[in-house]
């Protein structure tokens, strides 16, 4: 689906936003490997996982609570009153054919209603996440403002002329964007910021937001653990991290634009020589003095 004209769009269903043909943050990471990786990602969308689905549920619960009732339904206990052929209560009711038929019939009804089914355990974990977010002072303040949530923006990059899109979790104020991330470990969330390119996402979002609104903004992250005890940490992203992200995403955009123009989706460049990673390299310096090796520590 072609992306709409550059602008700001509210109340866009997530599926419709995903279908817009435009550069988004998740496609920039593969482009940093090579144009071939970027093209492969376009042709082979990543699989939907349980972690992704739970993340979407938590986003909806905190950012669009009214939508949860329309989109999700909790599976009830369908194992009650199941009996064996001789009329006795089944010892393992969930292993019976009757139970499996009950589940299949119930799930078919939910599919017809266009609802996503979640288990009781997932629902309890979801409530734990929301309780922890409400218990964190910054998260409660940032997500509790009247600013729009799940705001979609489309713009044309002035350097490469590529059409881009973002979906902002929360415009806390006209000068602050807040993004909600679920994680296994909020204590070491800095590693996740590096591993998943959240610093690059921040730069991409802030630049698109500025082009659409004229506002410079800060980018804040709320990290909530998706397992008990659902710890939360909230903070702005450091400007140095955003600057590094801007360098990376500009390189990725340049590679995508060049590949589109040439039609050549090249893979990796070859290194001049294989080297050890920096963490494995010794701090010793080896010199030749008078034909003899000298080691400096």
């Amino acid at each position: 689906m072609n992306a709409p004209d550059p602008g700001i769009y509210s109340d866009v269903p997530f599926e419709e936003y995903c279908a817009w043909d435009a550069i988004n943050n998740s496609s920039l990471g593969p482009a940093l490997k090579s144009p071939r990786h970027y093209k492969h990602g376009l042709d082979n969308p990543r699989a939907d996982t349980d972690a992704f689905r739970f993340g979407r549920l938590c986003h909806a619960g905190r950012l669009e609570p009214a939508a949860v009732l329309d989109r999700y339904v909790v599976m009830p206990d369908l194992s009650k009153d199941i009996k064996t052929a001789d009329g006795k209560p089944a010892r393992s009711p969930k292993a019976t054919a009757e139970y499996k038929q009950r589940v299949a019939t119930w799930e078919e009804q939910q599919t017809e209603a266009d609802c996503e089914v979640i288990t009781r355990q997932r629902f309890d974990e979801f409530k734990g996440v929301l309780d922890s977010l409400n218990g964190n002072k910054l998260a409660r303040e940032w997500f509790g403002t009247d600013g729009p949530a799940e705001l979609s923006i489309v713009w044309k990059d002035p350097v490469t002329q590529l059409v881009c899109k973002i979906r902002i979790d929360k415009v806390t104020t006209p000068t602050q964007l807040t993004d909600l991330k679920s994680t296994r470990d909020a204590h070491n969330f800095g590693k996740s910021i590096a591993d998943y390119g959240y610093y690059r996402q921040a730069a991409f979002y802030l630049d698109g937001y500025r082009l659409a609104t004229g506002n410079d903004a800060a980018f804040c992250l709320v990290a909530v653990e998706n397992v008990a005890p659902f710890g939360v940490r909230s903070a702005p992203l450091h400007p140095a991290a955003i600057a590094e992200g801007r360098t990376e995403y500009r390189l990725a955009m340049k590679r995508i634009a060049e590949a589109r123009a040439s039609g050549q989706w090249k893979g990796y460049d070859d290194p001049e020589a294989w080297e050890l990673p920096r963490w494995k390299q010794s701090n010793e310096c080896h010199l030749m003095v008078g034909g003899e090796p000298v080691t400096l520590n």
Side-chain angles (χ1 to χ4, degrees):
M1 176 190 298
N2 290 333
D5 293 336
I8 302 173
Y9 297 89
S10 303
D11 302 320
V12 177
F14 181 68
E15 295 75 15
E16 180 180 338
Y17 168 80
C18 290
W20 290 350
D21 183 14
I23 304 295
N24 66 339
N25 173 65
S26 62
S27 67
L28 296 174
L32 288 170
K33 288 187 173 183
S34 76
R36 178 175 293 180
H37 286 79
Y38 167 79
K39 184 67 162 56
H40 177 78
L42 292 184
D43 297 338
N44 300 274
R46 65 186 183 183
D48 199 19
T49 66
D50 185 59
F52 289 148
R53 289 190 290 271
F54 186 62
R56 288 199 299 270
L57 172 61
C58 294
H59 270 73
R62 191 60 193 87
L63 301 170
E64 303 175 286
V68 173
L69 296 176
D70 295 329
R71 299 179 193 170
Y72 296 93
V73 61
V74 180
M75 178 177 284
D77 183 3
L78 301 174
S79 64
K80 294 179 180 179
D81 301 323
I82 292 182
K83 295 180 170 51
T84 60
D86 57 4
K88 296 180 180 180
R91 297 181 60 182
S92 301
K94 292 186 178 181
T96 64
E98 181 179 346
Y99 175 78
K100 294 175 182 177
Q101 182 58 51
R102 288 184 183 183
V103 170
T105 301
W106 184 84
E107 288 183 337
E108 183 178 351
Q109 293 171 347
Q110 310 318 311
T111 300
E112 293 174 355
D114 198 24
C115 288
E116 183 173 337
V117 175
I118 57 175
T119 64
R120 171 59 60 176
Q121 178 182 344
R122 264 304 190 211
F123 181 70
D124 290 341
E125 291 168 346
F126 164 66
K127 290 194 299 181
V129 166
L130 295 189
D131 288 344
S132 288
L133 289 172
N134 288 330
N136 180 270
K137 181 176 182 295
L138 288 177
R140 184 174 63 253
E141 290 178 356
W142 292 345
F143 290 128
T145 67
D146 293 331
E150 304 291 8
L151 190 69
S152 300
I153 293 178
V154 176
W155 76 97
K156 181 175 285 189
D157 178 56
V159 177
T160 62
Q161 300 304 302
L162 295 174
V163 177
C164 304
K165 65 180 181 181
I166 56 176
R167 189 174 177 90
I168 302 169
D169 282 357
K170 181 71 173 182
V171 181
T172 302
T173 71
T175 57
Q176 179 183 323
L177 311 184
T178 303
D179 202 72
L180 176 61
K181 300 295 186 186
S182 59
T183 180
R184 295 287 294 184
D185 185 4
H187 179 70
N188 293 313
F189 189 64
K191 184 176 185 300
S192 295
I193 292 174
D195 289 346
Y196 297 109
Y198 296 153
Y199 62 102
R200 183 179 61 247
Q201 175 198 355
F204 187 63
Y205 274 46
L206 291 175
D207 288 356
Y209 179 74
R210 184 176 62 250
L211 285 170
T213 66
N215 294 330
D216 288 313
F219 194 86
C220 297
L221 287 165
V222 175
V224 57
E225 293 173 344
N226 51 22
V227 294
F230 310 109
V232 180
R233 301 182 81 191
S234 307
L237 189 60
H238 196 283
I242 296 172
E244 180 68 24
R246 183 168 290 111
T247 298
E248 282 196 5
Y249 101 72
R250 294 282 6 147
L251 174 60
M253 296 277 286
K254 179 175 180 291
R255 288 180 175 178
I256 295 169
E258 290 175 347
R260 285 190 177 184
S262 67
Q264 300 296 315
W265 301 92
K266 298 194 309 179
Y268 290 125
D269 292 328
D270 292 324
E272 293 183 5
W274 294 112
E275 298 183 11
L276 290 172
R278 288 188 177 183
W279 59 266
K280 188 61 176 176
Q281 295 178 19
S282 169
N283 292 325
E284 297 178 345
C285 179
H286 302 281
L287 300 175
M288 296 297 292
V289 178
E292 297 293 329
V294 176
T295 300
L296 302 177
N297 293 320

